[in-house]
Amino acid sequence: MFVRLTSIRRNVLLLFIVAGIISYQWTRRVPVEQKRTHVGQGLVANSSQFTLEGKPFRILGGSIHYFRVPKAHWEDRLLKMKACGLNTLTTYVPWNLHEPERGVFDFQDNLDLEGYLSLAAELGLRVILRPGPYICAEWELGGLPSWLLRDKNMKLRTTYLGFTEAVDSFFHQLMKRVHSNGGPIIAVQVENEYGSYAKDTEYMSFIKEALLSRGITELLLTSDNQNGWTLGGVNGGTVIQTLRPPHIHLPKMVMELWSGWFDLWGGLHHLFPAEGSQLIVLHTEMSINLYMFHGGTNFGFMNGAAAVGLPAPKPMVTSYDYDAPLSEAGDYTTKYHLLRKLFSPYHTQPLPDVPLLRRRSAHQPLVLMQHLSLWDSLPFTGKPYRSSTPVNMENLPVNNNNGQSYGYTLYETTITSGGTLHSMNNIRDRALVFLNKHFVGVLDYTTLELPLLEEKGERTLSLLVENCGRVNYGITLDEQRKGLVGDITLNKKPLRDFIIHSLDMKADFVNRLQSSGHWKSLRHRPAFPAFLQAKLYMDSTPTDTFLKLPGWSKGVVFINGKNLGRYCSIGPQQTLYLPGPWLHKGTNQVMVFEEQEADGKIQFASGPDYGMTVDVQ
């Protein structure tokens, strides 16, 4: 049995089980096989309704990504999902978090996928697993690890050997941790939205076989938008162009019923009407998956970027609130209560009571007491790399030769004249430019050149280049190398002989920096870029809160060594969600990396401020 998704509205994804072919028309379409053939075994789609264990089953699903929610809050969020009347949890699996270096796998703590699936089972929720390897999700490089891009010939999401070997290695580790055959998983999605990429007609068959050969016996499905529907699936090249009777008697599913939308830095916060989430359900008997039911947060440097239809990539904000039924901090919204009322009649028993909301705090402003300039932090970054020509982040000889994935890279060289500095559009994504540690300007996708004043003698030219987030959707995934990806010129002559410092700002670097004796008192204005730190004392068990940084420019916040995420004065997002479990009773270390300007204190709020809004109809 094959399944295809199709869309009838901009924010609707339908799943059709069609005569042995799986096809989507909203995200992607893939023909895949239904291995379970006995009635009453697993999720089956061979009549007008899904059946599960031989009984009619309407999927009322919602997406919550475990990697966007603190582990200590998983149970709270899933209980609220169940109390809303949903019966199925869907989640992506981020390859780039689970395999941060080639052959090094992490399924611990907040990446404990087994624990997450087990918790869903304990609470009586079924699961649709979306393991990728590509997931989109407004996530850095769509979930693909950046070390794949060390190969200059890499062709992501194809049957290129360098990619398929890496996928096989990851799936080998992932699938043995997935409780197939008797666990909560009722369906597994093959890749994601491939019809909008569609570079290799053999690729989807490879992914399908990679799942089947590792023991996946659940219903396989895919997801595609209307434009990608005719390109996404492969079954000997068979593609269903249209759906006509008698296919209307087969089960239908909205695989991604968008409850809201993502936000970009420099844009507005998107709001979807509360009533919009239920329109399709009100008029049909189809199954659904709310994307998102609870969005969570793009902690760290893991936000993606949008590029389709834009002159240059624009990064996602740190919050992934998504205007979802359950807010970023787990609060109930008007959408939640409307959906709970809507779903209640589909249950034979009364829905569970909604869990009590967790208390939040708004602490007194925290004054930053110490600072350390970027230049003084360099001894803690590891040995610098010398190269006659620029080297992109991914190909730096760091992290056990896996390159640098995220954060900043500092490129320094010596110049002996002024003139016109030109990026040749080889800066990915944004560079602060300094002469002898004095700021002279910014180079990015729109500003390609800067004038440098003439002075006698040698001067150090420094470019602090930030990876603002790799594109997560579209046909440019192979082009997502970061840092300096080619030559930059001074007076049309390529610069040479660079000293390169990797500033990925991982936890070990943050902890080394915090415990160093090099910090200076904030009696005088710090030289930016700079790290600033303070101690936050908690005299009781910490609760969730939000940080506010008015008067600051752009940077990153670290709490007890963990990267909370980016902030930026251009908005729309004005607060950062700080989970209570990231704090502890007693003294907590707070550190901020600020690029250009600091107010000197951090403020707190009990609720979020996502900035100016725009309604999306």
Side-chain angles (χ1 to χ4, degrees), residues 236-310:
T238 302
V239 175
I240 291 184
Q241 301 292 340
T242 58
L243 296 174
R244 303 185 181 92
H247 304 317
I248 56 175
H249 75 278
L250 296 170
K252 305 174 187 68
M253 179 176 179
V254 185
M255 188 60 187
E256 286 193 6
L257 177 56
W258 295 344
S259 63
W261 199 241
F262 55 81
D263 298 336
L264 304 174
W265 287 116
L268 299 173
H269 175 52
H270 294 82
L271 299 177
F272 267 41
E275 295 79 8
S277 305
Q278 48 184 325
L279 292 179
I280 294 299
V281 184
L282 284 171
H283 292 93
T284 74
E285 291 297 314
M286 66 183 67
S287 291
I288 67 164
N289 172 51
L290 291 168
Y291 189 96
M292 300 289 298
F293 177 76
H294 169 56
T297 308
N298 297 318
F299 293 117
F301 293 124
M302 301 312 297
N303 61 275
V308 176
L310 298 173

Side-chain angles (χ1 to χ4, degrees), residues 305-317:
V308 176
L310 298 173
K314 287 192 174 183
M316 312 290 170
V317 301

